[in-house]
Amino acid sequence: MAVPGPVTPEAPFEPSQPPVIEGFSPSVYTTPESFKEKFLRKTRENPMVPIGCLGTAAALTYGLYCFHRGQSHRSQLMMRTRIAAQGFTVAAILLGLAASAMRSRS
């Protein structure tokens, strides 16, 4: 039977301090960004996403307005346009993610 060796006490867990992980920095930015600064930075990185979001919102709003006015043909057209704008937005997000992944690799 093996005899256990002496037990060395580990440092107690300190909940007020984050754990130290070798090679990991919890924050890339030195100062915290405000919502406005982050929005502007993300818009500069991928300007097609906000354009797609605005197009989606505009098509939805106008389509609902036409529906309310009884213009069902135009309302249907605007709902189809909204779907296309949503597809454009999703494609812009995916292309932006791919571009940032390629940038981080090099």
Side-chain angles (χ1 to χ4, degrees):
M1 202 145 98
V3 177
V7 177
T8 57
E10 294 183 20
F13 176 69
E14 185 63 40
S16 64
Q17 297 293 323
V20 178
I21 301 171
E22 185 178 334
F24 175 73
S25 172
S27 177
V28 176
Y29 304 103
T30 55
T31 58
E33 289 181 297
S34 69
F35 175 78
K36 182 180 176 182
E37 291 169 339
K38 185 175 182 178
F39 179 78
L40 291 174
R41 178 177 58 84
K42 293 282 188 178
T43 300
R44 276 188 233 106
E45 287 176 6
N46 194 354
M48 291 298 154
V49 173
I51 291 170
C53 290
L54 288 174
T56 301
L60 176 64
T61 304
Y62 188 60
L64 289 174
Y65 173 74
C66 290
F67 180 75
H68 179 71
R69 301 264 324 219
Q71 300 170 338
S72 62
H73 181 65
R74 181 159 295 178
S75 176
Q76 281 291 323
L77 179 65
M78 286 298 105
M79 290 303 116
R80 291 182 185 126
T81 305
R82 176 187 59 88
I83 297 298
Q86 283 179 314
F88 174 82
T89 305
V90 169
I93 290 170
L94 292 175
L95 289 173
L97 284 172
S100 70
M102 294 300 225
R103 254 194 315 258
S104 67
R105 277 188 175 176
S106 51

